Amino acid sequence: MSGGKRIIVGISGADGVSLGVRLLGILRGMEGVETLLIMSRAAERNLALEGQPAPWEVRALADRWYEPEDMAAEVASGSFPTDGMIVAPCSMKTLSAVAHGYTENLLVRAADVCLKEGRRVVLMPRETPLGIIHIKNMLAAAEAGCAIVPPMLTYYCRPESLDDAADHVLGKALMQFGLTPPGFRPWGGG
């Protein structure tokens, strides 16, 4: 894709699959951004648990999508150019696999490829409270080159709804790619 951005969106099976759905909607509305979706089987199950759209409706938000078992997909190779990947939400299982190079499925393989090619990988881990193993895995992922952007509440943007709060944290994740979604309000000073 010349002149635009090509971003892989991973949705893993953590609580908060609505973040990944919302991210796809935001990116769909941004000109010059191509999205490549990999959704884990656990994420597909969580869509129903969280009252989100069906998997086929989520896939329709992406420009292209891949089955998580398709290890021959183009995003499994470093010779396929992308600008990087966002995993939203990122389960602790996926975080651990990315941090330690355990490429058991296409979602983790795509992140591994991005890291080995020096491309941006943003992980949005969802768990609370965090155990020492989670924290060590976050450190290992950060040392491997990942940006760790937990979907934490921010208040300076004065969110009026959960959607406002989600949009703000997704905007912070997209800033890692030089993208500013419409309506994103960065801190303007006191």
Side-chain angles (χ1 to χ4, degrees), residues 38-41 44 66-71 105-107:
I38 308 165
M39 191 167 31
S40 74
R41 296 295 176 213
E44 291 176 2
Y66 309 91
E67 298 289 352
E69 301 84 13
D70 185 5
M71 297 298 275
N105 60 42
L106 183 60
L107 195 156

Side-chain angles (χ1 to χ4, degrees), residues 11-190:
I11 303 177
S12 73
D15 177 43
V17 291
S18 58
L19 284 171
V21 175
R22 196 152 187 90
L23 175 62
L24 286 168
I26 290 169
L27 291 171
R28 188 166 188 78
M30 297 180 77
E31 190 172 325
V33 178
E34 180 183 7
T35 54
L36 312 170
L37 172 64
I38 308 165
M39 191 167 31
S40 74
R41 296 295 176 213
E44 291 176 2
R45 287 189 299 276
N46 279 3
L47 288 170
L49 293 172
E50 292 184 21
Q52 294 298 310
W56 67 268
E57 293 173 290
V58 176
R59 289 183 192 113
L61 293 171
D63 293 298
R64 287 188 252 178
W65 61 273
Y66 309 91
E67 298 289 352
E69 301 84 13
D70 185 5
M71 297 298 275
E74 56 203 2
V75 293
S77 173
S79 64
F80 181 74
T82 69
D83 291 282
M85 181 172 188
I86 300 177
V87 182
C90 184
S91 68
M92 290 298 119
K93 177 182 177 182
T94 298
L95 172 72
S96 177
V98 170
H100 300 286
Y102 181 62
T103 59
E104 68 167 344
N105 60 42
L106 183 60
L107 195 156
V108 180
R109 171 63 186 165
D112 187 65
V113 165
C114 288
L115 289 172
K116 80 178 184 68
E117 297 295 331
R119 300 173 188 155
R120 200 61 156 147
V121 175
V122 177
L123 304 179
M124 299 186 77
R126 276 283 305 118
E127 187 63 68
T128 193
L130 294 168
I132 191 70
I133 292 170
H134 304 141
I135 294 167
K136 286 181 178 181
N137 283 337
M138 282 187 219
L139 176 61
E143 289 174 339
C146 296
I148 310 298
V149 184
M152 293 183 177
L153 293 174
T154 55
Y155 297 93
Y156 65 83
C157 64
R158 299 186 181 178
E160 295 180 10
S161 68
L162 188 55
D163 288 343
D164 289 347
D167 287 350
H168 188 78
V169 73
L170 290 169
K172 291 182 74 106
L174 290 171
M175 287 176 71
Q176 297 291 314
F177 294 90
L179 295 171
T180 304
F184 179 75
R185 293 186 333 200
W187 174 246

